Amino acid sequence: MAKISRPSTGRHRLAFVLLLFLVAVGICVPVFALLPSLSSHQYLPPALSRDEKMMSRRFYIKDDKFWKDENPFQIIGGDLHYFRVLPEYWEDRLMRAKALGLNTIQTYVPWNLHEPKPGKFVFEGIADLVSFIKLCQKLDLLVMLRAGPYICGEWDLGGFPAWLLAVKPPLRLRTADPAYLKLVERWWNVLLRKVFPLLHSNGGPVIMVQIENEYGSYGNDKAYLRNLVTMARGHLGNDIILYTTDGGTREALEKGNVPLYDVYSAVDFSTGDDPWPIFELQKKFNAPGRSPPLSSEFYTGWLTHWGEKIAKTDAEFTAASLEKILSRNGSAVLYMVHGGTNFGFYNGANTGSDEFDYKPDLTSYDYDAPIKESGDINNLKFKALQRVIKKYSAAPHTTNPSNTKRKAYGPIKMQRTISLFDLMTMTDPVDMITSANPISMESAGQMFGFLVYESSYISKKSGNILRIPKVHDRAQVFVSCLSQDVDGGVLRYIGTTERWNNQPVSIPTTECASNTSLFILVENMGRVNYGPYIFDEKFFKVGYVYQSEVMFAGILSPVYLDGQIIHGWKMIPIPFHNLSQMPNLSFEMQHTKKRSKKFELTKDVGQNEPALFAGEFSINSVDEIKDTYLSFNGWGKGVAFINKFNIGRYWPSVGPQCNLYVPAPLLKAGRNYVVIFELESPHVDLLLRSVDQEDFTCGSNYSKVNQL
């Protein structure tokens, strides 16, 4: 690791620059730990002693039915993910699910949220799984827990911590690789010990625990699945139902089921498919009498990628499809009952026809679910599903909660505060890495955010052609004559190359006195979480084990200039994370005044250099704090923070999402501060707007909605 050779731009001159940087950088992982924990013993009755446990406190399978405390039980559930909802809104969203008529909540457990660094476990704030489960019990809702270790879920890397990719020798994820299983065991040793007291047989609400997820669509390693079952049984005992979920085809079930008597195989399938032939097929993969019909993912809507039209499904069609299951005593879990939001950098992605057909997910995970991203239930789908569920649910009917109030706080004037160049010069040299060739983000120890690759070259009078065969996921190219621009720190934008549209970049000639400095800003837009190219295709050999490069972020190939490989690179992290390491500094807007004339840049030079912009808006009283949205119409692409919290990515030029949801618990009476990292071109008037409605009408919407 070498100290950066670039002369200082005067970071000591203006302390506010560092102040703003520290506020903005370090805002995502583990951003959620900022949120207050709801841990309290008030939600869960004291655990019964072993002698006091009664046989009637059981949830089990017999005669192709679920049984709860010796009574037949029909699961009418819904997926609601605690990590996509602020803790302050957990109870509100669960009450709405209960009003729909549900008796069960299903949730994934994302490993990467809970172990962001090896051996560092987080179960506070939005990661407070135990409090979420206890809250479900308080509201008389049972819980189906999807423990992974792989979850899919449109979540970065399917829930796997990205640091797994940096382990040497490389791990074979989702296999019986002993090194991988050892890390799963360490993770589950923490997780499942927390879950055990919450099992139904121990007085808690957890009735079922899922192993892996749709494994039959990926692999066929039975030894791996049996290892997971052995681990789970070792921690949870024999009273809990362990289950798998796979697509409703013979091939998926053959590959994904665990051929053991005590592991139950559930199915999922497209909404509208005839469920009962699939349930008959399901019986062939469960022991006799142990196959209650269950669609563990009944799709109420669908996901949306950037560049697609927002996914919508018909309310009456969805309700009629659900009734086909419930009317014959089948069970179903609505995926999703409430989608929520992909806060921070945790959104996942899919691939299409090949690994370059990359499709990152929106920040919004609304999913066209009956409970909208903002919690609204005054919609046709909620009403249609509620009407069907009430026919079959034995749960007491509750009054529908009113919609959460929203407020438009109006225009927010933004000011440009810190340029990309300054962000680089303010990075601790200890965190920079030098290498002959570019390395991945994971190899650089950075799991999310942005990474700058710096090198230099000799400019030709006729210009140069830059080519990056593999970049994950989006690279913006800049050049600078640093020896001449040291006082201005100006980066000249040249062009962009993308994973899905990998084109050479033409660099015009420069008149630098010495070598021209080259900067490539790479954004990790979300790792692939599902599809044929997630782990097992396009392998390359590292050591003695093969691993898929599709998983990694950053520059994954040599960089070519006029056909020749460029050597000599410096990697400069711009992570926007490590919040736990951030000093407790106040964010004062008087520090965001214009720093110097250097920000008065011409459109052809400075306008396209990424930069931090800051602004504020005021709320007069606590009573006026309501949910809102930030409208990014007129802005380019970037990531936004409200009062230090990363609310996600925006990209209105591609769409369809124009506005980012801002839940009221992120706001406060008095001044509220907004910081955005704008990658392309800011709004002509530097205005953001706080509005009171969602908007999914931005962009060209050139793609068709894909169902995976």
Side-chain angles (χ1 to χ4, degrees):
M1 299 181 187
K3 185 174 182 180
I4 187 168
S5 58
R6 184 187 307 104
S8 170
T9 59
R11 94 179 80 165
H12 58 282
R13 288 180 303 165
L14 295 169
F16 76 86
V17 176
L18 177 59
L19 181 66
L20 179 60
F21 171 70
L22 288 172
V23 170
V25 175
I27 300 189
C28 183
V29 182
V31 60
F32 301 139
L34 266 183
L35 298 171
S37 172
L38 298 181
S39 291
S40 170
H41 295 293
Q42 64 177 316
Y43 297 144
L44 185 65
L48 299 174
S49 69
R50 299 298 294 183
D51 294 336
E52 291 175 320
K53 280 187 184 179
M54 298 179 293
M55 288 297 293
S56 59
R57 183 85 186 170
R58 297 174 61 206
F59 192 91
Y60 59 100
I61 296 173
K62 185 181 72 173
D63 299 331
D64 289 334
K65 297 178 182 177
F66 294 110
W67 296 75
K68 178 179 178 288
D69 305 334
E70 308 305 327
N71 296 307
F73 188 82
Q74 184 180 31
I75 295 173
I76 305 178
D79 262 82
L80 195 160
H81 302 154
Y82 60 98
F83 47 89
R84 285 181 161 124
V85 181
L86 297 191
E88 296 89 338
Y89 274 168
W90 283 347
E91 184 163 3
D92 175 86
R93 302 308 193 252
L94 290 169
M95 287 294 294
R96 293 168 192 274
K98 190 174 179 66
L100 186 62
L102 304 191
N103 55 33
T104 304
I105 295 297
Q106 183 171 249
T107 185
Y108 288 124
V109 181
W111 184 0
N112 54 7
L113 176 67
H114 294 284
E115 194 179 0
K117 295 182 178 180
K120 176 181 173 59
F121 295 99
V122 177
F123 284 91
E124 296 84 33
I126 206 168
D128 192 352
L129 171 64
V130 171
S131 288
F132 179 78
I133 293 174
K134 289 179 178 181
L135 191 53
C136 289
Q137 183 171 25
K138 174 190 172 185
L139 300 176
D140 198 26
L141 291 164
L142 300 175
V143 174
M144 296 167 64
L145 199 67
R146 315 179 84 174
Y150 166 79
I151 65 169
C152 184
E154 289 73 65
W155 197 251
D156 187 84
L157 201 58
F160 280 125
W163 54 259
L164 291 175
L165 304 178
V167 174
K168 303 297 181 187
L171 303 173
R172 288 169 289 168
L173 305 182
R174 303 184 80 185
T175 74
D177 174 13
Y180 162 63
L181 287 174
K182 185 177 181 180
L183 292 172
V184 174
E185 187 171 18
R186 183 181 73 182
W187 156 230
W188 274 9
N189 187 51
V190 175
L191 171 66
L192 298 185
R193 286 187 180 188
K194 294 179 179 291
V195 173
F196 178 73
L198 304 171
L199 300 182
H200 182 71
S201 58
N202 292 332
V206 179
I207 55 172
M208 299 171 66
V209 174
Q210 181 176 303
I211 301 299
E212 251 277 348
N213 189 59
E214 294 180 330
Y215 187 72
S217 299
Y218 168 75
N220 191 23
D221 189 339
K222 297 299 184 184
Y224 166 54
L225 296 177
R226 284 193 293 268
N227 269 283
L228 295 182
V229 171
T230 299
M231 284 185 211
R233 287 284 178 225
H235 286 288
L236 303 178
N238 296 321
D239 293 337
I240 186 71
I241 296 174
L242 298 182
Y243 71 110
T244 58
T245 292
D246 285 290
T249 66
R250 181 175 297 275
E251 180 183 8
L253 286 164
E254 284 177 346
K255 292 180 177 180
N257 86 308
V258 184
L260 297 171
Y261 175 82
D262 61 348
V263 180
Y264 167 67
S265 294
V267 292
D268 58 32
F269 45 85
S270 297
T271 302
D273 287 355
D274 187 348
W276 291 98
I278 299 173
F279 291 144
E280 285 300 313
L281 176 65
Q282 177 191 9
K283 286 184 177 181
K284 299 182 185 299
F285 297 91
N286 284 306
R290 293 185 55 80
S291 193
L294 168 65
S295 172
S296 54
E297 289 191 10
F298 175 86
Y299 302 111
T300 60
W302 201 248
L303 61 101
T304 305
H305 305 113
W306 290 107
E308 296 176 350
K309 292 181 180 179
I310 192 69
K312 295 287 184 182
T313 57
D314 181 76
E316 293 300 329
F317 172 80
T318 304
S321 299
L322 178 63
E323 186 157 23
K324 289 179 182 178
I325 297 174
L326 301 185
S327 63
R328 294 176 57 179
N329 205 35
S331 293
V333 180
L334 308 184
Y335 193 99
M336 301 288 298
V337 65
H338 171 59
T341 308
N342 292 319
F343 293 118
F345 297 118
Y346 279 117
N347 68 275
N350 297 105
T351 52
S353 57
D354 57 47
E355 65 167 295
F356 298 102
D357 189 11
Y358 171 75
K359 303 172 184 291
D361 298 320
L362 298 184
T363 297
S364 172
Y365 198 63
D366 180 84
Y367 213 82
D368 197 28
I371 303 172
K372 310 306 292 178
E373 181 180 16
S374 63
D376 287 1
I377 58 175
N378 186 21
N379 61 77
L380 295 176
K381 187 168 289 183
F382 185 93
K383 294 173 182 177
L385 289 170
Q386 185 184 57
R387 186 173 62 250
V388 168
I389 291 170
K390 280 186 174 181
K391 295 181 184 179
Y392 307 101
S393 175
H397 299 318
T398 61
T399 304
N400 288 347
S402 58
N403 283 341
T404 304
K405 293 183 179 180
R406 300 190 295 265
K407 185 176 178 64
Y409 295 104
I412 304 169
K413 182 67 175 178
M414 306 296 288
Q415 293 181 2
R416 180 174 174 171
T417 57
I418 304 177
S419 70
L420 173 62
F421 183 88
D422 288 319
L423 287 174
M424 291 189 292
T425 59
M426 294 162 64
T427 300
D428 191 332
V430 173
D431 295 329
M432 301 178 189
I433 296 175
T434 57
S435 174
N437 296 302
I439 63 174
S440 70
M441 282 189 177
E442 295 79 9
S443 298
Q446 180 178 326
M447 305 308 151
F448 298 95
F450 304 82
L451 188 63
V452 176
Y453 295 79
E454 178 187 354
S455 190
S456 63
Y457 68 97
I458 298 174
S459 178
K460 292 181 179 179
K461 290 184 178 181
S462 59
N464 303 86
I465 301 296
L466 184 79
R467 189 168 66 88
I468 313 173
K470 290 207 172 185
V471 60
H472 289 184
D473 299 303
R474 191 170 186 268
Q476 292 168 267
V477 180
F478 304 87
V479 297
S480 179
C481 299
L482 285 183
S483 60
Q484 296 153 247
D485 292 340
V486 63
D487 292 331
V490 173
L491 301 182
R492 184 181 297 272
Y493 172 71
I494 301 301
T496 298
T497 184
E498 299 152 327
R499 177 175 179 171
W500 59 93
N501 185 26
N502 194 297
Q503 299 293 326
V505 176
S506 296
I507 305 178
T509 186
T510 60
E511 297 180 359
C512 298
S514 58
N515 286 2
T516 301
S517 294
L518 172 68
F519 300 90
I520 304 173
L521 175 66
V522 177
E523 178 187 5
N524 169 7
M525 292 181 60
R527 294 178 183 84
V528 174
N529 64 268
Y530 181 85
Y533 299 99
I534 179 171
F535 301 125
D536 60 339
E537 298 288 340
K538 304 293 288 184
F539 288 103
F540 65 96
K541 194 168 186 180
V542 182
Y544 64 91
V545 179
Y546 286 87
Q547 186 158 306
S548 172
E549 62 184 358
V550 178
M551 299 180 287
F552 290 84
I555 294 178
L556 310 179
S557 68
V559 176
Y560 296 87
L561 190 74
D562 302 324
Q564 300 297 312
I565 295 176
I566 301 177
H567 294 290
W569 291 90
K570 183 180 295 178
M571 275 59 68
I572 307 169
I574 312 288
F576 293 98
H577 73 316
N578 297 328
L579 184 61
S580 60
Q581 301 173 16
M582 185 185 70
N584 185 20
L585 300 175
S586 298
F587 183 99
E588 300 293 345
M589 284 306 297
Q590 61 261 32
H591 296 311
T592 67
K593 295 177 181 178
K594 287 185 179 179
R595 299 172 42 214
S596 68
K597 291 183 179 180
K598 114 186 203 180
F599 276 167
E600 297 174 4
L601 300 171
T602 59
K603 290 185 178 180
D604 63 326
V605 176
Q607 196 75 354
N608 286 320
E609 181 184 352
L612 287 170
F613 292 78
E616 68 174 52
F617 63 97
S618 293
I619 300 177
N620 293 330
S621 66
V622 172
D623 292 340
E624 292 185 16
I625 298 176
K626 309 294 181 187
D627 285 2
T628 190
Y629 293 85
L630 285 186
S631 171
F632 287 89
N633 277 297
W635 291 82
K637 185 184 193 302
V639 59
F641 310 91
I642 294 282
N643 294 329
K644 306 180 185 179
F645 186 88
N646 187 335
I647 61 172
R649 310 175 200 267
Y650 63 89
W651 200 4
S653 59
V654 169
Q657 185 172 1
C658 315
N659 303 345
L660 294 185
Y661 174 55
V662 182
L666 296 180
L667 304 177
K668 59 186 179 181
R671 292 180 174 179
N672 291 267
Y673 303 108
V674 182
V675 175
I676 66 173
F677 185 44
E678 170 59 49
L679 297 172
E680 295 180 344
S681 55
H683 188 282
V684 64
D685 295 319
L686 298 186
L687 285 180
L688 281 178
R689 292 188 179 276
S690 166
V691 299
D692 61 2
Q693 295 291 331
E694 65 180 25
D695 186 353
F696 293 101
T697 63
C698 283
S700 59
N701 304 144
Y702 53 81
S703 300
K704 294 181 179 178
V705 175
N706 296 298
Q707 182 152 329
L708 303 177

